[in-house]
């Protein structure tokens, strides 16, 4: 089992997207693994799946936070293969709302972001905005892969509009390799300064 330097979450739309964006998500996953880091995703299709596939292709360690409460339910509703994840975190059986899929997805969002040292946002929709806002409130280091559409196009506007005080650091970059390098450097520097 690989010992990782940090845990990096990759968040984006769970739907098929343009080939160029999918390839960038794979490259993000590859770079996370090359640096010896663990990748965390919401264990779903689309951008998160592409990132996990990239990380696994490089021998990386992956943690999937599922919106399901059993492995069987994960396969049925999340639609990703169990073997992609070295660790699959499920919704607790005792969770009062475990039968309410939309609630479980938000439970997953909070839990997966909380587990990350760094969050990277690629494209995305409402769920990705939710993951970004959680990371921002939790004062995480956040990398935004610019020019990937969706949520990434409005995040700077949201930050400027709300002007919420936070120690979160948000980095915008359109190059997957550069973005991963930057967030890793900032995270290492932050860890040393504590």
């Amino acid at each position: 089992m690989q010992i990782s330097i940090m845990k990096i979450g990759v968040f984006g739309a769970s739907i098929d997207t343009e080939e160029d964006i999918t390839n960038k998500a794979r490259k993000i996953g590859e770079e996370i693994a090359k640096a010896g880091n663990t990748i965390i995703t919401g264990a779903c299709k689309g951008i998160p799946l592409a990132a996990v596939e990239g990380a696994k292709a490089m021998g990386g360690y992956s943690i999937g936070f599922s919106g399901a409460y059993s492995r069987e339910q994960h396969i049925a509703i999340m639609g990703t293969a169990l073997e992609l994840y070295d660790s699959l975190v499920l919704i607790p059986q005792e969770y009062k709302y475990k039968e309410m899929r939309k609630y479980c997805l938000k439970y997953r969002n909070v839990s997966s972001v909380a587990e990350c040292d760094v969050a990277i946002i690629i494209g995305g929709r409402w769920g990705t905005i939710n993951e970004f806002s959680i990371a921002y409130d939790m004062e995480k280091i956040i990398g935004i892969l610019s020019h990937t559409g969706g949520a990434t196009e409005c995040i700077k506007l949201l930050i400027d509009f709300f002007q919420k005080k936070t120690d979160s650091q948000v980095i915008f970059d359109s190059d997957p390799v550069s973005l991963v390098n930057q967030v890793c450097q900032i995270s290492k520097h932050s860890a040393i300064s504590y």
Side-chain angles (χ1 to χ4, degrees):
M1 180 161 130
Q2 178 178 341
I3 297 172
S4 72
I5 298 167
M6 68 185 81
K7 296 175 189 169
I8 301 178
V10 177
F11 304 101
S14 62
I15 58 170
D16 290 334
T17 189
E18 298 168 24
E19 185 178 353
D20 179 53
I21 296 170
T22 300
N23 290 337
K24 286 180 178 182
R26 259 190 208 97
K27 188 66 177 168
I28 290 274
E30 290 172 6
E31 293 302 311
I32 289 168
K34 280 183 191 176
N37 298 312
T38 293
I39 187 169
I40 292 177
T41 70
C44 57
K45 296 179 180 181
I47 288 171
L49 176 59
V52 165
E53 289 172 340
K56 295 308 289 177
M58 301 306 289
Y61 189 87
S62 67
I63 302 172
F65 278 78
S66 179
Y69 59 82
S70 71
R71 295 169 80 77
E72 295 76 25
Q73 188 193 42
H74 172 84
I75 293 166
I77 68 169
M78 301 303 289
T80 57
L82 297 173
E83 59 270 9
L84 286 170
Y85 310 102
D86 297 291
S87 176
L88 184 66
V89 181
L90 299 168
I91 299 296
Q93 287 290 329
E94 65 275 6
Y95 182 51
K96 179 179 179 179
Y97 301 106
K98 74 177 184 179
E99 298 295 341
M100 301 180 83
R101 185 164 187 254
K102 292 181 189 285
Y103 289 27
C104 290
L105 292 174
K106 297 313 166 205
Y107 183 106
R108 172 203 66 178
N109 289 357
V110 171
S111 299
S112 60
V113 173
E115 189 70 19
C116 298
D117 298 307
V118 171
I120 293 179
I121 307 292
I122 306 170
R125 300 181 302 166
W126 280 114
T128 308
I129 292 286
N130 179 238
E131 290 155 334
F132 166 78
S133 69
I134 294 165
Y136 195 74
D137 280 346
M138 290 182 179
E139 301 186 329
K140 303 283 183 174
I141 296 164
I142 305 168
I144 309 296
L145 189 61
S146 304
H147 309 298
T148 54
T152 65
E153 301 303 318
C154 66
I155 287 174
K156 182 155 183 10
L157 294 171
L158 292 172
I159 293 169
D160 291 345
F161 181 79
F162 289 110
Q163 297 184 4
K164 180 177 181 178
K165 298 279 189 220
T166 179
D167 286 336
S168 183
Q169 296 180 59
V170 183
I171 297 92
F172 293 84
D173 198 321
S174 60
D175 178 73
V177 176
S178 174
L179 183 63
V180 172
N181 287 336
Q182 286 183 71
V183 296
C184 287
Q185 286 303 314
I186 291 169
S187 182
K188 287 176 188 172
H189 178 71
S190 296
I192 292 169
S193 65
Y194 284 119

